[in-house]
Amino acid sequence: MLELPEAQTIARQLGETVLGREIISVAAGASPHRFAFFTGDSADYPLLLTGRTIDAAYPLARLVELALGDYRLTLGDGANLRYLAPGAAVPKKHQLLLGLDDGSHLVCTVQMYGSLECFRDGENDNFYYLVTREKPTPLSEGFDADYWSSLLSSASPSLTAKAFLATEQRIPGLGNGVLQDILFTARIHPKTKLSALTDGELDALFHSVKSVIADMAAKGGRDTEKDLFGNPGGYRTLLSAKTVKEPCPYCLGAIQRQAYLGGNIYFCPHCQPLKL
């Protein structure tokens, strides 16, 4: 699923690959998917997008957005975008296919659920979209110690570390996948409540949020996800579905996996003791 490091990577790769290209053909909703969310009727996408030039590509927290004149095409969550060079075979199933003027394609498939939104710039009033535009991300200068303090002061002390980091869009782009290594690096159990953390631990968590996400983005995203060209990211996850059967990289103890708050959490009971 797209999170902040992958959105950064794919937007950068789009900027290096398809800027200035004209969209000459569009197929939207060709392979029906119950949880592929379009803006309005996907049948209107060919009329809205054909003939437009890709002017810019940029990340918006967990989203990737293409600027197409006065229109925007925004992809998020489980929308997997791939670049196909001229002459490359086009997959038979897809939720969005853009043919470009040099014979290349951008193809998007939806995994579990994903958004593929096309709209005139300034006319998207979706709460989640607006939050990604308004709030600073851990990669920005605005996400500093004072901003972190404001997040903590507005949060209920009964929230757990995972709930604080990954719910209610407090930190857009930081989701269940990214937070595993953040909490591990800070040595904080996902279920520990904010009220049980010392000032030093909360400070360590702040620096972990900043440094881990920066490292993930610098290395092209996580190795559990793929980039614009279908290659896994260069950041090797410490705790994830890929490493759950491996020993803890620090104490060599057994990593545990539990279902919690709508997804799995991974943790080392020794390095991340649960504080009550």
Side-chain angles (χ1 to χ4, degrees), residues 48-208:
L48 296 174
L49 296 175
T50 302
R52 295 190 176 276
T53 299
I54 301 174
D55 298 321
Y58 38 84
L60 293 175
R62 61 181 178 84
L63 308 175
V64 174
E65 185 163 277
L66 290 174
L68 311 164
D70 59 345
Y71 268 77
R72 299 291 181 266
L73 177 63
T74 303
L75 308 172
D77 296 316
N80 299 311
L81 185 65
R82 300 287 181 266
Y83 172 78
L84 303 178
V90 175
K92 293 182 179 180
K93 292 185 177 182
H94 47 74
Q95 278 65 58
L96 181 65
L97 180 68
L98 305 179
L100 307 183
D101 59 1
D102 65 346
S104 64
H105 291 83
L106 290 175
V107 59
C108 188
T109 57
V110 171
Q111 190 175 355
M112 297 172 61
Y113 61 90
S115 59
L116 309 93
E117 299 181 278
C118 177
F119 53 91
R120 191 181 297 275
D121 187 26
E123 294 185 358
N124 190 341
D125 60 358
N126 179 276
F127 166 77
Y128 295 100
Y129 176 76
L130 295 177
V131 163
T132 64
R133 296 189 64 91
E134 295 168 358
K135 288 190 175 183
T137 76
L139 294 174
S140 67
E141 292 183 1
F143 198 100
D144 56 16
D146 288 338
Y147 183 73
W148 177 255
S149 295
S150 72
L151 292 179
L152 289 171
S153 63
S154 62
S156 168
S158 64
L159 285 176
T160 63
K162 173 178 176 174
F164 172 70
L165 291 178
T167 64
E168 298 185 16
Q169 294 298 306
R170 285 183 192 83
I171 309 176
L174 196 166
N176 190 63
V178 169
L179 70 83
Q180 311 294 339
D181 281 13
I182 289 173
L183 291 173
F184 181 69
T185 301
R187 302 296 190 269
I188 293 173
H189 193 288
K191 293 184 179 180
T192 294
K193 293 182 179 180
L194 295 181
S195 58
L197 296 175
T198 66
D199 289 344
E201 288 169 328
L202 290 171
D203 186 58
L205 182 57
F206 165 67
H207 289 290
S208 182

